[in-house]
Amino acid sequence: MAARLLPLLVLAVSLAWPASCKPLPVLVPVTKDPATLLYTIPFHYGADLVVDTAGPLVWSTCQRGHLPAEFPCNSPTCRLANAFHIPGCRARGCCHDTRKDRTCTAYPYNPVTGACAPGDLVHTRFVANTTDGVHPVSQVNVRALAACAPSRLLKSLPRGASGVAGLAGSGLALPAQVASAQSVPNKFLLCLPRGGSSGNTGVAIFGGGPFQVSAQPGRDFTQELVYTPLVAAKKGMPPAHYVSLQSIAVESTRVPGAGAAVVCTKVPFTLLRPDVYRPFVDAFARALKAQGAQGGPVARPVKPVPPFELCYDTQSLANTRIGYLVPGVTLTLGGGTNWTMNGLSSMVDLRPGTACLAFARMEGVKAGDRSAPAVLVGGFQMENTVLEFDVARKRLGFVRLPFFTQCGHFNFTKTTGY
């Protein structure tokens, strides 16, 4: 009798096993550095890496005596490491060398200064937790490849950071490596924190949702995402996440602005190409003045605080649950998807009594230069917004969290029962 039951028992176990062992996404906290306004994630014990959504590689400073990974210059991995030429970086990867037996050399670069340096590829571990989208579940060590870099490449990065976590859509960026090692989808969620005294920890989840916060139990924000297609970078441009920008509006007034938009954590505030910036700022100033003429508060301009042009006395601005009562800004993206920014995302308090329009002029770019993006959406405008970078399906999803909650409300207390 027992012998007859054994095959049935084995069949039952085999049917249940895949469901119980379905790979879970990988979770890490995101911290905002108050000095540089950049974001970092813990990579492994004692090492924090700067989040760079346009970075093609993971890199960090390495200890002396490290052993390079043995990838020949003509290997597919080495070709991935050298697939993107960084503007201003004169170094050439070893794949351009005629000696095909050389060990692979990569060229990590600093996203703030633009400096680059040669470095070996090394095997490393990404230490994080799996998640059910509500809590951390269990610790996981993810196999990864990183490039070594000299300590001088850390200039202008947050104090204590030891490198950069590239999150672009390239084969050696962190999302692709986690997807390969953990058998999860090649996509990731970002929910960047505003920082300050409370709610200063955001969330990154590699492999997708769900995503819930403690203030809204049972509400999965990934089910509320709206999507716009990711578009391929133009030849010679970095491997960032690009979307199509159809138009920009300030309240109901459309201003010139079309081309590409890039979601970019390396810039603290949104940058506009010069031909887009000037009409945008003028339209905002007129719309805010019109609010006062129609019976609303009369905004009093104050001395600008660089790099911002429009700054106001906060006592003259109405403060609401969604930030200062100022004209809304809407980016209309590919597919007709609207990304609307209210006062919480468009105005920044820079010093006591002064708030500024948190959009700046893109420097080093000529007006009308279509080889440059029209808009670089900066970290400030991404904060407390759930963003899903779906590399596999080539789309960007986003949804703003309600005013009464924030990215810092994710519950990082580890659950039990798994």
Side-chain angles (χ1 to χ4, degrees):
M1 182 68 176
R4 292 181 179 178
L5 289 176
L6 184 58
L8 295 177
L9 179 61
V10 172
L11 176 61
V13 171
S14 66
L15 290 175
W17 183 257
S20 62
C21 291
K22 181 181 178 181
L24 291 175
V26 175
L27 164 76
V28 286
V30 180
T31 303
K32 184 177 182 178
D33 176 57
T36 63
L37 305 182
L38 297 173
Y39 308 90
T40 61
I41 60 172
F43 189 73
H44 51 231
Y45 305 108
D48 290 341
L49 300 186
V50 175
V51 173
D52 180 13
T53 51
L57 293 171
V58 178
W59 66 263
S60 67
T61 53
C62 293
Q63 296 180 351
R64 289 184 179 181
H66 68 271
L67 295 176
E70 295 183 357
F71 292 105
C73 281
N74 62 347
S75 66
T77 299
C78 192
R79 286 196 291 268
L80 281 176
N82 289 276
F84 304 100
H85 175 71
I86 304 304
C89 182
R90 297 180 181 179
R92 292 169 64 84
C94 77
C95 290
H96 297 280
D97 198 288
T98 58
R99 293 171 294 169
K100 298 301 182 182
D101 60 341
R102 285 189 59 193
T103 301
C104 185
T105 299
Y107 288 84
Y109 82 103
N110 181 312
V112 178
T113 66
C116 71
D120 298 323
L121 288 177
V122 296
H123 294 288
T124 186
R125 296 273 178 174
F126 174 36
V127 181
N129 284 284
T130 58
T131 182
D132 57 5
V134 183
H135 312 85
V137 174
S138 61
Q139 189 179 86
V140 63
N141 290 270
V142 181
R143 298 185 306 275
L145 278 175
C148 283
S151 57
R152 60 182 171 83
L153 217 59
L154 300 176
K155 183 180 180 181
S156 301
L157 298 184
R159 185 176 182 180
S162 59
V164 169
L167 304 185
S170 50
L172 288 186
L174 188 56
Q177 295 204 57
V178 174
S180 176
Q182 298 301 112
S183 300
V184 294
N186 188 4
K187 62 181 178 179
F188 66 98
L189 297 176
L190 270 187
C191 196
L192 298 179
R194 178 55 48 99
S197 58
S198 62
N200 58 359
T201 300
V203 183
I205 300 178
F206 299 92
F211 177 76
Q212 297 183 26
V213 292
S214 57
Q216 290 270 275
R219 182 177 179 180
D220 177 10
F221 285 98
T222 64
Q223 298 301 310
E224 302 177 29
L225 296 168
V226 293
Y227 291 95
T228 186
L230 289 170
V231 298
K234 293 182 179 179
K235 186 177 180 179
M237 297 193 69
H241 298 282
Y242 296 84
V243 295
S244 174
L245 176 68
Q246 296 182 351
S247 65
I248 302 176
V250 177
E251 283 298 308
S252 58
T253 302
R254 184 169 171 173
V255 298
V262 181
V263 182
C264 192
T265 52
K266 71 179 181 180
V267 295
F269 301 96
T270 293
L271 302 180
L272 304 177
R273 202 173 56 207
D275 56 302
V276 178
Y277 175 77
R278 184 75 269 149
F280 170 80
V281 169
D282 291 345
F284 188 91
R286 288 194 300 269
L288 186 57
K289 186 175 182 180
Q291 283 186 182
Q294 295 168 5
V298 178
R300 291 191 299 272
V302 297
K303 184 178 179 180
V305 180
F308 305 117
E309 181 176 338
L310 297 182
C311 297
Y312 299 92
D313 181 351
T314 56
Q315 296 297 317
S316 67
L317 298 172
N319 209 343
T320 72
R321 297 179 301 178
I322 56 172
Y324 294 115
L325 186 61
V326 295
V329 175
T330 299
L331 307 181
T332 299
L333 306 175
T337 303
N338 288 332
W339 187 339
T340 299
M341 303 173 186
N342 54 33
L344 286 173
S345 298
S346 64
M347 300 292 291
V348 58
D349 291 306
L350 289 180
R351 59 191 182 199
T354 299
C356 299
L357 177 64
F359 293 77
R361 186 178 183 271
M362 200 181 295
E363 300 296 337
V365 176
K366 293 182 180 179
D369 182 0
R370 289 304 181 99
S371 66
V375 177
L376 293 177
V377 179
F380 182 80
Q381 278 74 24
M382 296 162 62
E383 289 169 354
N384 291 324
T385 297
V386 180
L387 294 121
E388 181 188 78
F389 298 79
D390 191 338
V391 179
R393 299 178 68 177
K394 295 182 173 57
R395 62 181 188 171
L396 171 70
F398 55 91
V399 61
R400 174 83 189 187
L401 291 179
F403 68 89
F404 53 81
T405 189
Q406 54 189 303
C407 298
H409 288 164
F410 184 83
N411 188 348
F412 276 97
T413 303
K414 189 172 291 187
T415 188
T416 59
Y418 284 81

PDB file of all heavy atoms in Angstrom, residues 264-288:
ATOM      1  N   CYS A 264      16.691  60.983 -14.422  1.00  0.00           N
ATOM      2  CA  CYS A 264      18.120  61.068 -14.138  1.00  0.00           C
ATOM      3  C   CYS A 264      18.390  61.401 -12.671  1.00  0.00           C
ATOM      4  O   CYS A 264      18.209  62.534 -12.245  1.00  0.00           O
ATOM      5  CB  CYS A 264      18.726  62.145 -15.036  1.00  0.00           C
ATOM      6  SG  CYS A 264      20.505  62.177 -15.078  1.00  0.00           S
ATOM      7  N   THR A 265      18.849  60.416 -11.895  1.00  0.00           N
ATOM      8  CA  THR A 265      19.102  60.636 -10.479  1.00  0.00           C
ATOM      9  C   THR A 265      20.370  61.423 -10.195  1.00  0.00           C
ATOM     10  O   THR A 265      20.576  61.873  -9.073  1.00  0.00           O
ATOM     11  CB  THR A 265      19.199  59.293  -9.737  1.00  0.00           C
ATOM     12  OG1 THR A 265      20.150  58.455 -10.417  1.00  0.00           O
ATOM     13  CG2 THR A 265      17.854  58.598  -9.690  1.00  0.00           C
ATOM     14  N   LYS A 266      21.246  61.583 -11.194  1.00  0.00           N
ATOM     15  CA  LYS A 266      22.507  62.279 -10.927  1.00  0.00           C
ATOM     16  C   LYS A 266      22.342  63.795 -10.903  1.00  0.00           C
ATOM     17  O   LYS A 266      23.262  64.509 -10.518  1.00  0.00           O
ATOM     18  CB  LYS A 266      23.573  61.883 -11.942  1.00  0.00           C
ATOM     19  CG  LYS A 266      23.362  62.403 -13.346  1.00  0.00           C
ATOM     20  CD  LYS A 266      24.495  61.965 -14.261  1.00  0.00           C
ATOM     21  CE  LYS A 266      24.304  62.492 -15.678  1.00  0.00           C
ATOM     22  NZ  LYS A 266      25.407  62.061 -16.568  1.00  0.00           N
ATOM     23  N   VAL A 267      21.189  64.305 -11.336  1.00  0.00           N
ATOM     24  CA  VAL A 267      20.927  65.741 -11.223  1.00  0.00           C
ATOM     25  C   VAL A 267      19.871  65.937 -10.131  1.00  0.00           C
ATOM     26  O   VAL A 267      18.834  65.284 -10.147  1.00  0.00           O
ATOM     27  CB  VAL A 267      20.481  66.364 -12.565  1.00  0.00           C
ATOM     28  CG1 VAL A 267      21.606  66.280 -13.584  1.00  0.00           C
ATOM     29  CG2 VAL A 267      19.238  65.708 -13.120  1.00  0.00           C
ATOM     30  N   PRO A 268      20.124  66.822  -9.167  1.00  0.00           N
ATOM     31  CA  PRO A 268      19.191  66.978  -8.034  1.00  0.00           C
ATOM     32  C   PRO A 268      17.834  67.534  -8.435  1.00  0.00           C
ATOM     33  O   PRO A 268      16.814  67.176  -7.849  1.00  0.00           O
ATOM     34  CB  PRO A 268      19.933  67.939  -7.102  1.00  0.00           C
ATOM     35  CG  PRO A 268      21.365  67.863  -7.504  1.00  0.00           C
ATOM     36  CD  PRO A 268      21.356  67.596  -8.975  1.00  0.00           C
ATOM     37  N   PHE A 269      17.817  68.448  -9.429  1.00  0.00           N
ATOM     38  CA  PHE A 269      16.572  69.092  -9.843  1.00  0.00           C
ATOM     39  C   PHE A 269      16.458  69.025 -11.370  1.00  0.00           C
ATOM     40  O   PHE A 269      17.460  68.903 -12.076  1.00  0.00           O
ATOM     41  CB  PHE A 269      16.543  70.549  -9.383  1.00  0.00           C
ATOM     42  CG  PHE A 269      16.668  70.709  -7.894  1.00  0.00           C
ATOM     43  CD1 PHE A 269      17.909  70.958  -7.316  1.00  0.00           C
ATOM     44  CD2 PHE A 269      15.563  70.602  -7.070  1.00  0.00           C
ATOM     45  CE1 PHE A 269      18.040  71.100  -5.941  1.00  0.00           C
ATOM     46  CE2 PHE A 269      15.679  70.740  -5.700  1.00  0.00           C
ATOM     47  CZ  PHE A 269      16.918  70.983  -5.131  1.00  0.00           C
ATOM     48  N   THR A 270      15.243  69.135 -11.857  1.00  0.00           N
ATOM     49  CA  THR A 270      15.015  69.000 -13.293  1.00  0.00           C
ATOM     50  C   THR A 270      15.703  70.114 -14.078  1.00  0.00           C
ATOM     51  O   THR A 270      15.620  71.297 -13.718  1.00  0.00           O
ATOM     52  CB  THR A 270      13.503  68.995 -13.582  1.00  0.00           C
ATOM     53  OG1 THR A 270      12.942  67.799 -13.030  1.00  0.00           O
ATOM     54  CG2 THR A 270      13.217  69.042 -15.071  1.00  0.00           C
ATOM     55  N   LEU A 271      16.378  69.709 -15.158  1.00  0.00           N
ATOM     56  CA  LEU A 271      17.064  70.638 -16.045  1.00  0.00           C
ATOM     57  C   LEU A 271      16.334  70.701 -17.375  1.00  0.00           C
ATOM     58  O   LEU A 271      15.886  69.675 -17.903  1.00  0.00           O
ATOM     59  CB  LEU A 271      18.510  70.183 -16.280  1.00  0.00           C
ATOM     60  CG  LEU A 271      19.400  70.026 -15.043  1.00  0.00           C
ATOM     61  CD1 LEU A 271      20.796  69.558 -15.455  1.00  0.00           C
ATOM     62  CD2 LEU A 271      19.487  71.327 -14.261  1.00  0.00           C
ATOM     63  N   LEU A 272      16.225  71.907 -17.918  1.00  0.00           N
ATOM     64  CA  LEU A 272      15.552  72.121 -19.195  1.00  0.00           C
ATOM     65  C   LEU A 272      16.550  72.692 -20.200  1.00  0.00           C
ATOM     66  O   LEU A 272      17.337  73.588 -19.872  1.00  0.00           O
ATOM     67  CB  LEU A 272      14.375  73.091 -19.026  1.00  0.00           C
ATOM     68  CG  LEU A 272      13.316  72.714 -17.985  1.00  0.00           C
ATOM     69  CD1 LEU A 272      12.256  73.812 -17.894  1.00  0.00           C
ATOM     70  CD2 LEU A 272      12.666  71.387 -18.326  1.00  0.00           C
ATOM     71  N   ARG A 273      16.502  72.176 -21.410  1.00  0.00           N
ATOM     72  CA  ARG A 273      17.344  72.707 -22.484  1.00  0.00           C
ATOM     73  C   ARG A 273      17.036  74.196 -22.655  1.00  0.00           C
ATOM     74  O   ARG A 273      15.883  74.621 -22.465  1.00  0.00           O
ATOM     75  CB  ARG A 273      17.054  71.934 -23.776  1.00  0.00           C
ATOM     76  CG  ARG A 273      18.158  71.987 -24.825  1.00  0.00           C
ATOM     77  CD  ARG A 273      17.833  71.048 -25.963  1.00  0.00           C
ATOM     78  NE  ARG A 273      16.533  71.352 -26.549  1.00  0.00           N
ATOM     79  CZ  ARG A 273      15.751  70.469 -27.161  1.00  0.00           C
ATOM     80  NH1 ARG A 273      16.141  69.210 -27.266  1.00  0.00           N
ATOM     81  NH2 ARG A 273      14.591  70.831 -27.670  1.00  0.00           N
ATOM     82  N   PRO A 274      18.014  75.036 -22.994  1.00  0.00           N
ATOM     83  CA  PRO A 274      17.789  76.496 -23.013  1.00  0.00           C
ATOM     84  C   PRO A 274      16.571  76.946 -23.788  1.00  0.00           C
ATOM     85  O   PRO A 274      15.853  77.867 -23.348  1.00  0.00           O
ATOM     86  CB  PRO A 274      19.085  77.029 -23.636  1.00  0.00           C
ATOM     87  CG  PRO A 274      20.128  76.038 -23.238  1.00  0.00           C
ATOM     88  CD  PRO A 274      19.434  74.702 -23.266  1.00  0.00           C
ATOM     89  N   ASP A 275      16.294  76.332 -24.948  1.00  0.00           N
ATOM     90  CA  ASP A 275      15.128  76.751 -25.732  1.00  0.00           C
ATOM     91  C   ASP A 275      13.817  76.343 -25.079  1.00  0.00           C
ATOM     92  O   ASP A 275      12.755  76.887 -25.414  1.00  0.00           O
ATOM     93  CB  ASP A 275      15.208  76.187 -27.151  1.00  0.00           C
ATOM     94  CG  ASP A 275      15.341  74.668 -27.159  1.00  0.00           C
ATOM     95  OD1 ASP A 275      16.306  74.163 -26.567  1.00  0.00           O
ATOM     96  OD2 ASP A 275      14.473  73.984 -27.741  1.00  0.00           O
ATOM     97  N   VAL A 276      13.865  75.426 -24.153  1.00  0.00           N
ATOM     98  CA  VAL A 276      12.680  75.003 -23.405  1.00  0.00           C
ATOM     99  C   VAL A 276      12.567  75.806 -22.110  1.00  0.00           C
ATOM    100  O   VAL A 276      11.468  76.197 -21.699  1.00  0.00           O
ATOM    101  CB  VAL A 276      12.739  73.490 -23.093  1.00  0.00           C
ATOM    102  CG1 VAL A 276      11.535  73.046 -22.277  1.00  0.00           C
ATOM    103  CG2 VAL A 276      12.848  72.686 -24.382  1.00  0.00           C
ATOM    104  N   TYR A 277      13.717  76.071 -21.501  1.00  0.00           N
ATOM    105  CA  TYR A 277      13.741  76.730 -20.190  1.00  0.00           C
ATOM    106  C   TYR A 277      13.118  78.130 -20.215  1.00  0.00           C
ATOM    107  O   TYR A 277      12.277  78.450 -19.373  1.00  0.00           O
ATOM    108  CB  TYR A 277      15.183  76.804 -19.690  1.00  0.00           C
ATOM    109  CG  TYR A 277      15.331  77.569 -18.390  1.00  0.00           C
ATOM    110  CD1 TYR A 277      14.989  76.988 -17.176  1.00  0.00           C
ATOM    111  CD2 TYR A 277      15.795  78.889 -18.396  1.00  0.00           C
ATOM    112  CE1 TYR A 277      15.108  77.691 -15.997  1.00  0.00           C
ATOM    113  CE2 TYR A 277      15.916  79.592 -17.223  1.00  0.00           C
ATOM    114  CZ  TYR A 277      15.581  78.998 -16.015  1.00  0.00           C
ATOM    115  OH  TYR A 277      15.700  79.703 -14.848  1.00  0.00           O
ATOM    116  N   ARG A 278      13.539  78.957 -21.166  1.00  0.00           N
ATOM    117  CA  ARG A 278      13.101  80.357 -21.139  1.00  0.00           C
ATOM    118  C   ARG A 278      11.585  80.509 -21.249  1.00  0.00           C
ATOM    119  O   ARG A 278      10.959  81.175 -20.404  1.00  0.00           O
ATOM    120  CB  ARG A 278      13.801  81.116 -22.261  1.00  0.00           C
ATOM    121  CG  ARG A 278      13.536  82.611 -22.328  1.00  0.00           C
ATOM    122  CD  ARG A 278      14.289  83.340 -21.239  1.00  0.00           C
ATOM    123  NE  ARG A 278      13.522  83.478 -20.012  1.00  0.00           N
ATOM    124  CZ  ARG A 278      14.052  83.521 -18.795  1.00  0.00           C
ATOM    125  NH1 ARG A 278      15.356  83.400 -18.641  1.00  0.00           N
ATOM    126  NH2 ARG A 278      13.313  83.674 -17.736  1.00  0.00           N
ATOM    127  N   PRO A 279      10.936  79.915 -22.228  1.00  0.00           N
ATOM    128  CA  PRO A 279       9.465  80.051 -22.286  1.00  0.00           C
ATOM    129  C   PRO A 279       8.761  79.381 -21.112  1.00  0.00           C
ATOM    130  O   PRO A 279       7.695  79.838 -20.683  1.00  0.00           O
ATOM    131  CB  PRO A 279       9.087  79.394 -23.619  1.00  0.00           C
ATOM    132  CG  PRO A 279      10.250  78.568 -24.011  1.00  0.00           C
ATOM    133  CD  PRO A 279      11.453  79.225 -23.437  1.00  0.00           C
ATOM    134  N   PHE A 280       9.345  78.312 -20.570  1.00  0.00           N
ATOM    135  CA  PHE A 280       8.741  77.638 -19.424  1.00  0.00           C
ATOM    136  C   PHE A 280       8.731  78.558 -18.200  1.00  0.00           C
ATOM    137  O   PHE A 280       7.699  78.716 -17.534  1.00  0.00           O
ATOM    138  CB  PHE A 280       9.510  76.355 -19.110  1.00  0.00           C
ATOM    139  CG  PHE A 280       9.121  75.700 -17.815  1.00  0.00           C
ATOM    140  CD1 PHE A 280       7.982  74.908 -17.725  1.00  0.00           C
ATOM    141  CD2 PHE A 280       9.887  75.890 -16.663  1.00  0.00           C
ATOM    142  CE1 PHE A 280       7.614  74.326 -16.529  1.00  0.00           C
ATOM    143  CE2 PHE A 280       9.533  75.305 -15.466  1.00  0.00           C
ATOM    144  CZ  PHE A 280       8.392  74.516 -15.391  1.00  0.00           C
ATOM    145  N   VAL A 281       9.875  79.144 -17.889  1.00  0.00           N
ATOM    146  CA  VAL A 281       9.972  80.026 -16.721  1.00  0.00           C
ATOM    147  C   VAL A 281       9.061  81.240 -16.890  1.00  0.00           C
ATOM    148  O   VAL A 281       8.370  81.664 -15.945  1.00  0.00           O
ATOM    149  CB  VAL A 281      11.442  80.453 -16.499  1.00  0.00           C
ATOM    150  CG1 VAL A 281      11.532  81.574 -15.477  1.00  0.00           C
ATOM    151  CG2 VAL A 281      12.267  79.261 -16.042  1.00  0.00           C
ATOM    152  N   ASP A 282       9.044  81.815 -18.073  1.00  0.00           N
ATOM    153  CA  ASP A 282       8.187  82.980 -18.316  1.00  0.00           C
ATOM    154  C   ASP A 282       6.717  82.613 -18.145  1.00  0.00           C
ATOM    155  O   ASP A 282       5.926  83.381 -17.564  1.00  0.00           O
ATOM    156  CB  ASP A 282       8.427  83.538 -19.719  1.00  0.00           C
ATOM    157  CG  ASP A 282       9.802  84.183 -19.868  1.00  0.00           C
ATOM    158  OD1 ASP A 282      10.439  84.456 -18.824  1.00  0.00           O
ATOM    159  OD2 ASP A 282      10.235  84.394 -21.011  1.00  0.00           O
ATOM    160  N   ALA A 283       6.318  81.445 -18.637  1.00  0.00           N
ATOM    161  CA  ALA A 283       4.920  81.015 -18.516  1.00  0.00           C
ATOM    162  C   ALA A 283       4.549  80.781 -17.058  1.00  0.00           C
ATOM    163  O   ALA A 283       3.429  81.116 -16.626  1.00  0.00           O
ATOM    164  CB  ALA A 283       4.695  79.740 -19.334  1.00  0.00           C
ATOM    165  N   PHE A 284       5.473  80.210 -16.274  1.00  0.00           N
ATOM    166  CA  PHE A 284       5.193  79.978 -14.860  1.00  0.00           C
ATOM    167  C   PHE A 284       5.012  81.307 -14.126  1.00  0.00           C
ATOM    168  O   PHE A 284       4.086  81.462 -13.313  1.00  0.00           O
ATOM    169  CB  PHE A 284       6.323  79.169 -14.222  1.00  0.00           C
ATOM    170  CG  PHE A 284       6.041  78.729 -12.817  1.00  0.00           C
ATOM    171  CD1 PHE A 284       5.432  77.505 -12.564  1.00  0.00           C
ATOM    172  CD2 PHE A 284       6.363  79.539 -11.732  1.00  0.00           C
ATOM    173  CE1 PHE A 284       5.156  77.102 -11.271  1.00  0.00           C
ATOM    174  CE2 PHE A 284       6.095  79.145 -10.432  1.00  0.00           C
ATOM    175  CZ  PHE A 284       5.485  77.919 -10.204  1.00  0.00           C
ATOM    176  N   ALA A 285       5.901  82.261 -14.379  1.00  0.00           N
ATOM    177  CA  ALA A 285       5.802  83.568 -13.719  1.00  0.00           C
ATOM    178  C   ALA A 285       4.479  84.245 -14.053  1.00  0.00           C
ATOM    179  O   ALA A 285       3.820  84.839 -13.180  1.00  0.00           O
ATOM    180  CB  ALA A 285       6.984  84.443 -14.126  1.00  0.00           C
ATOM    181  N   ARG A 286       4.062  84.185 -15.320  1.00  0.00           N
ATOM    182  CA  ARG A 286       2.789  84.810 -15.715  1.00  0.00           C
ATOM    183  C   ARG A 286       1.610  84.107 -15.058  1.00  0.00           C
ATOM    184  O   ARG A 286       0.668  84.755 -14.571  1.00  0.00           O
ATOM    185  CB  ARG A 286       2.635  84.774 -17.241  1.00  0.00           C
ATOM    186  CG  ARG A 286       3.544  85.714 -18.003  1.00  0.00           C
ATOM    187  CD  ARG A 286       3.082  85.848 -19.463  1.00  0.00           C
ATOM    188  NE  ARG A 286       3.085  84.558 -20.149  1.00  0.00           N
ATOM    189  CZ  ARG A 286       4.115  84.064 -20.834  1.00  0.00           C
ATOM    190  NH1 ARG A 286       5.241  84.770 -20.910  1.00  0.00           N
ATOM    191  NH2 ARG A 286       4.028  82.910 -21.442  1.00  0.00           N
ATOM    192  N   ALA A 287       1.639  82.775 -15.030  1.00  0.00           N
ATOM    193  CA  ALA A 287       0.521  82.025 -14.449  1.00  0.00           C
ATOM    194  C   ALA A 287       0.398  82.270 -12.952  1.00  0.00           C
ATOM    195  O   ALA A 287      -0.715  82.379 -12.414  1.00  0.00           O
ATOM    196  CB  ALA A 287       0.702  80.533 -14.723  1.00  0.00           C
ATOM    197  N   LEU A 288       1.528  82.384 -12.257  1.00  0.00           N
ATOM    198  CA  LEU A 288       1.473  82.649 -10.817  1.00  0.00           C
ATOM    199  C   LEU A 288       0.971  84.063 -10.548  1.00  0.00           C
ATOM    200  O   LEU A 288       0.192  84.301  -9.610  1.00  0.00           O
ATOM    201  CB  LEU A 288       2.864  82.446 -10.207  1.00  0.00           C
ATOM    202  CG  LEU A 288       2.954  82.547  -8.683  1.00  0.00           C
ATOM    203  CD1 LEU A 288       2.005  81.550  -8.014  1.00  0.00           C
ATOM    204  CD2 LEU A 288       4.388  82.305  -8.218  1.00  0.00           C
TER     205      LEU A 288
END
